[in-house]
Amino acid sequence: MNTYAKTGAVLALTLLGAGCTDFLQGPGLTETPNNPTTATALQQLIGVQANMATRLEGQLARCAGIFTQQLIGSNNQQLQWCTQYLVAEGDISGQMSGFYTGGGLYGLRNIQAAAVASGDQFLLGIAKVWEGLAMGTATSVWGDLPYSEAVNPAISLPKLDSQESIYAAVQARLDEGIAILQAATATGNCVPLEGDLIYCATAVPKATEIQRWVRAAYTLKARFHLHLVERNGNAEYALALAAAQNGISEAPTTPADAMHGRAPGDFRMFHGSVQDFDANVWAEFLLARQDIVAGNTLVQILTTRNDPRLLAYFDANAQGQVVGSDQNNVAVRPTGCAAPCAPSVVNTTVRRQFTFRQPIVTWAENQLIMAEAKYMTGDSAGAVVHVDAVRTAVGMPALGNVSFNDVMTEKYIAMFQNIDVWSDFKRTCIPAVTPFGTAAEVLGRLPYGSAERTANPNLPLPSAYPAGTTGSSPVRNWNDPNPC
Amino acid sequence: MWLQVNWTLGGDYNSDDRTYAYGQASSGTNGGQLERWQFYDRLFDHNLTATGTHQFNRNVRGGLTVGQNLNETYFRQVDIFAQTWLAPAPFKLQNTTTRTLPNDAEQRRRVEGYFAQANVDLYDQLYLQARIRNDANSAFSRGHQRAWYPGGSAAWSFAKAVHLPENIVSFGKVRLAYGESGQQPPLYTTQDVYTAVAIADFNPGSLQVPTLNGVGGLYASAIRGNPDIAPERVREVEAGVDLSLFRGRADLSVTRYDSRAKDVVFAVNLAPSTGFTQKYINAGELTNKGWELTGSVRALQRSDLSIEVGGNWALNRNVVTSLGATPEQIAGDFPMPTPENCGPEAKVPRCQIGIGNSFAGQTTHAQIGYPLGVWRATDFARCGISDNSISFGGTTYNVGAACVGAPRGALYIAPNGFPITDPTPRAIGNPWPDWTAGLSLTANYRGVQLSAFLEHRHGGDVLNMTRASMYQYGTHKDTEIRGETRTFGKDMICYNKTCDVLNGPVVGPGAGTAVVIGEGWFSGGPLGSGQGATGGPISTRIEDGTFTRLREVSISYSFRDPWVNKIVGMRQLDVKLSGRNLKLWTDYSGYDPEVNLGGAQNANRGIDWFNAPLARAWVVQLTFFH
């Protein structure tokens, strides 16, 4: 009996003892030991800028360039999705989600809330401008989108706002940003460690930093006014012109700076030198994959007018020629091109350097917005001045007078690798391109991402689009009612 | 001994240290790269049980077991990637120019369980058992960490009580069991967190890490935390009969089970426009119902020759019945996710969630009304399945008009003679078999033992990505038809059940048109838009993987003769010769329908993508006994 008593005691004590101490509580058990659960506004601002680089320089820009045949997707996904117009909702889902999640609208709203709480007017102002840029770009690609009900914790199925209302809200965001920035304190120098990588990667006077943000915001207002021209006519041109006159005004100082969007007031994404870390996104993609080549349309335009940007945008072959591919991914070989005469790739010495800061909004764009707006509102003499300013900046001769085709061709060249070249094409149908294969028209929008569509019934099935939205056709958004 | 106490304490520790180095001249990375990985794994387990038994009287015997289980697992991973060697050697971190953000992650989990089980044996006939567990897991949210799981079973050996003819039924047992159990949840799902993981534009290819210009950044993780994550519960009822027939010459065992899982923890999709893409919730409901049969017959039992034949058959039906519902659906603003409202398209929220992805043109899902692991993919525009108006490659086609009066599933052919892709993904294809069976034979003739095993799997789709990839690169023998003409619906290249689609009924303005088949179809181009390639509709490569396989045949003999001792100094020598995977009968067009791209895992089954087929093997085995 003694052994039984002892055993029973051991048992009882062990069971009791173990049950008393809280075995299930402790560090790293229920709460995660691996990730922080709070983040400052500065940290999230860096996160937003890293994310916006992937959005603005990534797949959307690649497809926009390929649709307008500045470039051609020659292999794999770039060939199927962009050259052949076969991009499906599963292919583009991550890109669309990226505008809303932690590095997108959700992060921007957190930053704005923190800035309001801490009274940081500068941070609030630039976050408003970022929001305008992001949502304006998103709506130009996808059309109707969740916005007014987005990133609201009380709403799990946000409804779609019409593209028209999103553009209006974007103008409001940019106006708010401008007003807040113009009222912000402007003394001393800006501090790079405060996280504004666009206009304060290195220290400049605070007043200069603020002024550059304000001017970039005005150019963005002008850009987004142009997106409404097909619907609203010349009234929109007048608004675009008024905004552009307050836009980016610092001219580039050298022809190379002019060709690569390096004027002091140009809005350029920050990049460092490490692959898959902080390098230019085009450079990373084209190093890892050789799926994009020069587009014959742009190559012919630049070759015919002897434009120095031909060799700034593309690498020449051994004979000093640049070879582009046509809309069907067939190389158009110039005479005297020695076999195999492969199509040219994007310029490696400047544009594909890891440190190349990708231009998103530039002085050249602002000049050409004013040129287009003046031309279409009857001031073609005024238009010539701006076209010539851009041309002489890169080392091209000035023109005496211009046709609308001249203006838009100049813009097409200047907006190389920029998502917005697609909006220019949709609005003006310049340059005249032949769609891929037997397709009736160039794609005018990308499909909604599958992640949003399957979780949010407000978005129509891909085969049902444009039902349930304001889209103009299965391949065009509301702001693009006329095919080319 | 009426009381037995057993205490087991165990510990396990292992570590894994890895270095991957790419030299300076490596083509994929500028200047070379170094990866350093360290893994630590530690486990403690404590089991304390006490069992008591008591004979109440001649006919009644009982027992009680109580126990405690404490378990802790700890895992840690530290890894860092460095780029651009300073000198060609050594392969050490200090010899590199830059390092990307290191990863340092821990996983720690504690489980605390208490259980009690009582069993009573009555009259050597009736066996009753009842049990209860209380399990707690630190990964559940506070306040939801513990759960009770009861269970019980009854078995009745009825051959004595019910007077059955002894020469037919010599032993029989009827059994019934009920049990509840739970599953471990994923770790660290209770909070919203921030992360500095690289953001992908195209992965692999172009990434950005949120540390720029020397300033560290974070962004909110897209996985929303759930502070109320709680245990899930599986309730299973199982009934069966075991029989021994014809004086032990045959056995038969039949089992039927019905199991329902509720509050299954799934990562449900959220609309990304809310700022989050996923959240772990207790929402899922699954059912598993099935039958299992095993039997054997001792056909011949003589002293010099015996032959036994055995067989088994199993059928399982798994259905996902719920993935929860959003507040808007519960409030009635949107339709609830029922099988009718969802359809194969998964039209409303919470109809489906993704659980796997393999770049094979399909994704693996849990979808309402389908088995767990169903595939979703895009297909050709087909009558009765696709919508009336389909946009493909920039042109819109009136599929509805062409399909009037056509059989369901008929292929729509565009004016250019090729089918078009319907962009709406649907549930299509399921890698799980309808039923499986096996047959075994064992024969013994004067000490020579022969055994054979035949296996059959019926149903289950296999995705022949090997053929699709080889089409894309033009290396498959089928692509030798390049330049020839074919007509969809008549003589297009097809295999297995792809013929039902490619050479089945066709409708549309281009139906019956002969087209040139070549790179445009197999790879990409205006003639066919590359729809025969790996990115095209899944119908070109989804095949029925039914197979029968002679899994093993072996023959063995034990030598005990004196020569064994004389020659090798041993008492006994066993020699066995086996052949494995000797023959495969299947309609699958690839080498082997039993391969799996994802290896031994559930999320991506049934994908054959340059996998080596199961090897035929001959094994000779010699065993010496001293």
Side-chain angles (χ1 to χ4, degrees), chain B residues 389-402:
Chain B
S389 171
I390 299 290
S391 281
F392 176 64
T395 309
T396 308
Y397 300 90
N398 190 346
V399 173

Side-chain angles (χ1 to χ4, degrees), chain A residues 25 28 34 156 277 279 452 463, chain B residues 106 142 188 208-209 273 328:
Chain A
Q25 314 306 333
N34 298 321
S156 59
F277 189 75
E452 184 74 34
S463 46
Chain B
E106 288 181 347
R142 292 178 201 246
Y188 309 137
Q208 293 282 286
V209 169
S273 57
E328 288 86 349

Side-chain angles (χ1 to χ4, degrees), chain B residues 173-316:
Chain B
K173 183 163 85 173
V174 149
R175 47 187 161 79
L176 181 69
Y178 172 78
E180 295 187 16
S181 59
Q183 286 258 57
Q184 301 232 69
L187 282 171
Y188 309 137
T189 56
T190 57
Q191 300 162 292
D192 288 347
V193 299
Y194 290 84
T195 175
V197 165
I199 300 167
D201 155 49
F202 197 101
N203 195 1
S206 42
L207 308 169
Q208 293 282 286
V209 169
T211 292
L212 300 169
N213 202 22
V215 187
L218 292 168
Y219 58 95
S221 162
I223 301 179
R224 172 140 244 182
N226 182 353
D228 298 320
I229 197 93
E232 61 186 62
R233 188 170 293 273
V234 180
R235 293 188 171 93
E236 177 166 347
V237 176
E238 181 182 301
V241 174
D242 302 321
L243 298 169
S244 184
L245 304 165
F246 305 118
R247 288 215 180 85
R249 291 287 281 258
D251 296 325
L252 180 66
S253 182
V254 181
T255 307
R256 161 89 182 151
Y257 59 88
D258 184 333
S259 124
R260 280 153 215 264
K262 283 186 73 102
D263 290 335
V264 179
V265 175
F266 272 120
V268 293
N269 299 329
L270 303 176
S273 57
T274 59
F276 297 93
T277 56
Q278 270 189 341
K279 181 175 175 177
Y280 282 97
I281 60 172
N282 293 94
E285 286 178 20
L286 301 171
T287 61
N288 266 303
K289 297 183 206 199
W291 291 91
E292 284 172 1
L293 252 76
T294 56
S296 62
V297 176
R298 285 159 210 89
L300 207 58
Q301 275 189 312
R302 300 204 312 240
S303 57
D304 59 339
L305 174 64
S306 69
I307 297 176
E308 181 172 338
V309 179
N312 60 66
W313 178 84
L315 174 124
N316 184 60

Side-chain angles (χ1 to χ4, degrees), chain A residues 201-218:
Chain A
T202 52
V204 297
K206 189 77 176 169
T208 311
E209 185 195 22
I210 293 177
Q211 204 197 52
R212 286 176 175 162
W213 269 103
V214 168
R215 291 190 174 278
Y218 273 114

